[in-house]
Amino acid sequence: MTKSNLTRRGVLKSGAVAGAGVALPTIFTASSAAAYTNEPTGGTVTLGFNVPQTGPYAEEGLDELRAQELAVEHLNGMGDGGMMNTFSSKALKGNGILGKKVEFVTGDTQTKSDAARASAKSMIEKDGAIMINGGSSSGVAIAVQGLCQDAGVIFMAGLTHSNDTTGKDKKANGFRHFFNGYMSGAALAPVLAKEYGTDRRAYHLTADYTWGWTQQESVAAATEAMGWETVNNVLTPLAATDFSSYITPVLNSGADVLVLNHYGGNMVNSLTNAVQFGLRDKMVNGKQFEIVVPLYSELMAEGAGANVQGVIGSMNWNWQLTDEGTKAFVKSFGEKYGRPPSGSAHTCYVQTLLYADACERAGTFNPCGVAEALEGFEFDGMGNGPTLYRADDHQCFKDVLVMKGKDNPANKFDLLEIVEVTPRAQVEYAPDHPMFAGGDLGKCNPGA
Amino acid sequence: MDVILPQILNGLDKGSAYALIALGLTLIFGTLGVVNFAHGALFMIGAFCSVSLSRILNLSYVTEDPTQTDFLGKPLKVETPYLEAWFGPEFGGALIDWSVPLAILFSIPIMILVGLVMERGLIKHFYKRPHADQILVTFGLAIILQELVRGIYGANPIQTPAPDMFRGSIDFGAMLGFDPNVIIYPYWRMIYFFFSAVVIGGVFAFLQFTTFGMVVRAGMADRETVGLLGINIDRRFTIMFAIAAVVAGWAGVMYAPINAPNYHMGMDFLVLSFVVVVVGGMGSLPGAVAAGFLLGILESFASMTAVKEILDGIDQIIIYLVAIIILLTRPRGLMGKKGVMED
């Protein structure tokens, strides 16, 4: 007969320690056997595509997902290869990433920070995603970027335009290909001055959250530097649907330009309301009243319909560009889905290829190796001309497009035209620029 | 005055939508005693009746234009609406252009059908259940309906313009002796206000001056006694549900040109409309209408820069703030009756 050493107190202590261990989220407790979070061990590697599949940006999310699926096809050697054929780096061979077949899982951000974090966390913890890519909101991007930093995976941001994403909220594990509010302002201001003159009075309506604030600050600073005066800046609730009560004060403000720092449904409604109230037909201060939408997207233009005609804005990329990379991507995407890709689809596609290429060049999936490969990476052939992934803040620097709503569109995809391709040098800024100050990139976290 | 008048005008069209939705909500609550959180979805379905008719009238055949190319470099596919081919560009084009007003008629059978299915198929099973159950089940129904619409039409807003002749705006300022271009109001918003006034007047007249309306009002006051007189009050209440659905649908149909319809628009209006009903007084039709316009106008004033400078963010809470004040001073709302929802 053996004597048991179990005591009531001992069992309770052991239980408490074991319970705490189980309760601790596995995301923050890397296995001692793995060098980094979700190190692939089999013949496949899993990417996590976190896009809005429900909610107001679901259409944009759908387009991002189409592009991400296409990127996976190309990485695995299927289809025509798309931009892999024009990409200046030749590390990708069409045999997956580092010889492992690429698989993917998807999450629904719902364009809500908490939901986006939950879906990213689930993909990392339950599905073993090695990286997270996508999204259509700066609030979401900043939230998910923080989560990925803590979890030890790379975050390749989708559509996020706030200066803060690679400014005060930048993270070592986060990378943004999309342009930002500062770049929009820097690209737009000279064109606006040329089209509408330097003696203008601008009234801003601004979505009341991080993206709206930083875009307004950027556009106001850039236009004021050209001689414009900012008459007023009114913050509008993100949940607003009817902007008439914000637009009527514009009429007797003495302003002759309305700048709509709105995106998505906000932009569609505020622009529609502004046109309804006859702003486009007004003459103020002896000048034709003008409306500016600093950040355009094809899907927004489609929602706003004829109201975008003649309205100037900016974009990260557009399918009408004529470089070889754009042509290859538009052909692949168009033949598969029957429509040209949107700007957010392009950025998600490019981010997926850039991540895969960085893994190949680094020879590892370790986030710190991948981050090192991306930092300071100069590339071309992805539709934006020569591009730099700056090491200081993980922001891509490339040409920016100034767009204008077409007067006589031939079809629903033909709503915008390229007015100018603003060269990269004109939209660059110092890493310690005051609009991007306050953040710390920190150190790469491999999660182990 | 040139600052205040535009906000009153803005408040009127916003208030019109609130009033129409709140009127339907109150009709349903007053007759069936049901707190219908799916009522905003009826407003949204009405707006999508405009979208649907516009798409039906725009049904097109496709021809290839070899002189132009699409984004893939293939011959451009040009769509020509059948109506324009059959009736000529002028008459066919005019029919398409008038799709929103025509949708008022198009929406009637659809809204009646949706209302009847909703009431007979689901809500009638919850008449005797607590209000919390009714709210939960109708809220769930609203989510299902909006997701169905999203599945069919997508999440993007869909522009549904008013007829060309109503797309401009009127210079009220110049008419009233102010500087031109200072007080401008879009024609369609003015039409929306008058349309709402006619519908609200029509519903009141129907309830006040018809035998059917008299029976319904009697049933609202004392359902049991009316039933004892041998009148099938349930049938009449079901018809009132359908009428309330049509009213909400019409509010949505005519709202489509003001803001591009999207699947979420019902939810955007629902909560505010409930506040309107509560402020007006549960079960009070005139209260719902009065509170709709009152809160619409107050919301517009709260959006003024001068007001926001005094209290930042007031535009987001003004309706709830007013609701709290009114309920503290008049617990039954502006025109609420004793005994309604007080058990």
Side-chain angles (χ1 to χ4, degrees):
Chain A
M1 195 173 170
T2 56
K3 187 186 172 190
S4 169
N5 288 327
L6 286 176
T7 62
R8 186 183 62 86
R9 187 161 296 187
V11 169
L12 284 173
K13 272 185 185 171
S14 310
V17 170
V22 170
L24 192 69
T26 52
I27 191 173
F28 301 117
T29 56
S31 155
S32 58
Y36 48 89
T37 301
N38 293 336
E39 181 180 1
T41 50
T44 62
V45 59
T46 305
L47 309 184
F49 297 143
N50 206 22
V51 303
Q53 296 179 48
T54 56
Y57 295 157
E59 294 300 311
E60 206 153 67
L62 178 64
D63 220 39
E64 289 184 7
L65 210 49
R66 288 181 187 127
Q68 289 158 331
E69 286 177 15
L70 189 66
V72 169
E73 265 187 37
H74 291 166
L75 288 171
N76 286 331
M78 293 180 283
D80 61 11
M83 277 184 172
M84 275 172 50
N85 302 315
T86 58
F87 189 14
S88 55
S89 170
K90 298 300 172 196
L92 295 170
K93 302 170 192 75
N95 62 343
I97 307 175
L98 294 171
K100 292 182 188 293
K101 187 184 176 198
V102 181
E103 293 182 341
F104 67 91
V105 289
T106 70
D108 180 8
T109 68
Q110 300 173 36
T111 320
K112 293 175 184 164
S113 297
D114 53 348
R117 280 177 68 94
S119 55
K121 190 167 180 279
S122 169
M123 286 190 286
I124 297 166
E125 281 187 4
K126 293 183 182 158
D127 304 316
I130 188 88
M131 64 86 99
I132 299 294
N133 169 228
S136 281
S137 152
S138 289
V140 163
I142 289 167
V144 174
Q145 184 164 261
L147 176 106
C148 290
Q149 178 70 33
D150 294 339
V153 299
I154 291 288
F155 175 57
M156 302 297 279
L159 194 156
T160 163
H161 188 247
S162 168
N163 291 345
D164 291 347
T165 311
T166 46
K168 75 176 179 61
D169 295 309
K170 57 182 173 275
K171 300 284 182 213
N173 284 40
F175 290 84
R176 169 162 67 179
H177 171 266
F178 207 69
F179 71 150
N180 57 41
Y182 177 91
M183 294 175 176
S184 282
L188 279 171
V191 176
L192 294 175
K194 192 171 119 195
E195 295 269 334
Y196 305 144
T198 53
D199 180 24
R200 283 282 186 167
R201 291 162 59 81
Y203 192 109
H204 288 244
L205 290 183
T206 303
D208 195 4
Y209 76 109
T210 173
W211 167 72
W213 305 328
T214 64
Q215 177 175 282
Q216 192 279 331
E217 182 190 20
S218 304
V219 174
T223 51
E224 283 168 14
M226 294 283 172
W228 285 25
E229 179 191 348
T230 304
V231 175
N232 202 354
N233 174 38
V234 175
L235 298 177
T236 58
L238 198 56
T241 51
D242 183 23
F243 290 85
S244 57
S245 49
Y246 298 101
I247 282 167
T248 40
V250 179
L251 296 164
N252 52 15
S253 66
D256 46 38
V257 177
L258 174 64
V259 181
L260 295 173
N261 297 301
H262 288 149
Y263 190 72
N266 274 183
M267 175 267 174
V268 169
N269 288 336
S270 63
L271 179 58
T272 303
N273 292 167
V275 172
Q276 280 170 1
F277 275 82
L279 292 191
R280 296 296 310 281
D281 309 320
K282 258 170 72 91
M283 292 292 288
V284 181
N285 309 324
K287 304 177 193 87
Q288 180 69 44
F289 195 99
E290 301 291 352
I291 301 174
V292 178
V293 176
L295 177 59
Y296 256 143
S297 86
E298 296 85 349
L299 294 165
M300 261 165 51
E302 204 177 313
N307 297 318
V308 298
Q309 287 174 8
V311 175
I312 288 179
S314 67
M315 286 181 88
N316 186 59
W317 173 87
N318 183 269
W319 63 269
Q320 296 172 76
L321 285 164
T322 52
D323 61 282
E324 292 307 311
T326 296
K327 280 198 257 182
F329 180 49
V330 172
K331 182 172 174 288
S332 284
F333 192 98
E335 283 179 351
K336 186 170 170 67
Y337 301 113
R339 57 181 297 141
S342 64
S344 50
H346 168 257
T347 216
C348 287
Y349 176 89
V350 171
Q351 285 278 70
T352 309
L353 292 195
L354 284 173
Y355 171 81
D357 174 76
C359 293
E360 291 283 355
R361 286 186 293 111
T364 177
F365 291 101
N366 186 320
C368 294
V370 176
E372 203 179 321
L374 283 169
E375 285 174 344
F377 180 48
E378 289 263 13
F379 60 94
D380 200 353
M382 302 293 253
N384 298 103
T387 305
L388 165 70
Y389 236 131
R390 189 160 71 179
D392 308 71
D393 51 9
H394 295 183
Q395 170 68 56
C396 263
F397 287 85
K398 51 196 161 22
D399 299 347
V400 170
L401 306 184
V402 177
M403 310 293 294
K404 192 178 200 175
K406 264 190 181 173
D407 286 333
N408 293 305
N411 56 59
K412 68 175 182 175
F413 305 127
D414 186 39
L415 295 168
L416 303 170
E417 61 184 329
I418 299 169
V419 176
E420 188 169 292
V421 180
T422 305
R424 169 175 142 187
Q426 196 179 310
V427 300
E428 283 176 332
Y429 52 87
D432 59 351
H433 189 284
M435 285 185 196
F436 297 82
D440 177 22
L441 204 57
K443 285 187 177 169
C444 163
N445 176 20
Chain B
M1 196 59 188
D2 57 345
V3 177
I4 293 169
L5 192 58
Q7 298 301 354
I8 293 175
L9 291 170
N10 286 336
L12 286 180
D13 63 60
K14 221 177 273 183
S16 302
Y18 293 154
L20 281 176
I21 300 172
L23 181 69
L25 272 170
T26 307
L27 273 176
I28 292 171
F29 181 75
T31 51
L32 301 169
V34 172
V35 183
N36 181 22
F37 257 64
H39 206 69
L42 295 172
F43 172 74
M44 179 265 297
I45 290 171
F48 276 89
C49 283
S50 285
V51 173
S52 303
L53 186 64
S54 171
R55 288 194 172 176
I56 290 168
L57 296 180
N58 266 301
L59 279 175
S60 304
Y61 62 90
V62 178
T63 50
E64 284 190 351
D65 180 357
T67 62
Q68 298 183 73
T69 53
D70 67 5
F71 67 97
L72 288 172
K74 295 172 182 167
L76 186 70
K77 286 178 179 161
V78 179
E79 294 185 351
T80 309
Y82 285 110
L83 282 177
E84 287 188 12
W86 294 337
F87 303 114
E90 204 162 307
F91 185 65
L95 279 175
I96 294 168
D97 190 38
W98 279 72
S99 61
V100 172
L102 290 172
I104 294 173
L105 299 174
F106 176 73
S107 67
I108 294 172
I110 294 173
M111 296 314 301
I112 289 175
L113 187 68
V114 170
L116 290 179
V117 169
M118 195 187 268
E119 198 271 336
R120 289 288 93 187
L122 183 71
I123 293 177
K124 77 165 186 177
H125 302 294
F126 286 81
Y127 286 161
K128 294 190 169 64
R129 302 277 283 272
H131 288 309
D133 289 9
Q134 296 171 355
I135 288 171
L136 280 174
V137 76
T138 52
F139 192 70
L141 180 63
I143 292 171
I144 290 169
L145 288 172
Q146 79 168 27
E147 288 306 311
L148 271 175
V149 168
R150 190 180 69 81
I152 298 167
Y153 294 93
N156 247 7
I158 302 168
Q159 285 290 332
T160 316
D164 203 31
M165 64 184 293
F166 299 124
R167 278 184 212 167
S169 47
I170 184 168
D171 193 338
F172 258 116
M175 284 168 64
L176 298 173
F178 295 101
D179 291 338
N181 285 330
V182 170
I183 305 173
I184 286 175
Y185 198 59
Y187 289 126
W188 190 257
R189 286 177 184 255
M190 206 157 52
I191 289 169
Y192 191 77
F193 170 66
F194 287 119
F195 174 80
S196 306
V198 169
V199 172
I200 290 165
V203 171
F204 277 100
F206 178 70
L207 288 173
Q208 202 66 36
F209 303 120
T210 64
T211 311
F212 185 95
M214 188 182 69
V215 173
V216 168
R217 279 188 293 123
M220 285 168 80
D222 189 343
R223 181 188 186 125
E224 206 172 330
T225 307
V226 173
L228 286 171
L229 292 171
I231 296 169
N232 185 353
I233 194 69
D234 285 351
R235 198 168 138 262
R236 283 170 171 77
F237 281 177
T238 301
I239 293 170
M240 284 314 295
F241 192 101
I243 290 173
V246 171
V247 169
W250 278 351
V253 165
M254 293 293 278
Y255 197 77
I258 292 177
N259 275 325
N262 68 80
Y263 74 102
H264 202 262
M265 65 191 295
M267 285 293 181
D268 296 336
F269 272 88
L270 177 76
V271 177
L272 292 175
S273 300
F274 256 96
V275 176
V276 168
V277 170
V278 173
V279 168
M282 292 298 288
S284 166
L285 295 174
V289 174
F293 285 108
L294 173 73
L295 294 183
I297 291 169
L298 283 174
E299 195 184 16
S300 284
F301 275 107
S303 308
M304 289 168 65
T305 311
V307 178
K308 286 181 72 170
E309 277 172 2
I310 298 168
L311 190 54
D312 192 25
I314 183 71
D315 51 335
Q316 298 185 53
I317 59 165
I318 182 71
I319 285 191
Y320 307 101
L321 202 63
V322 172
I324 290 168
I325 293 167
I326 288 180
L327 291 178
L328 280 174
T329 51
R330 293 179 66 87
R332 294 192 188 104
L334 290 175
M335 300 183 193
K337 290 172 193 161
K338 192 178 176 185
V340 179
M341 236 190 163
E342 288 180 344
D343 49 339

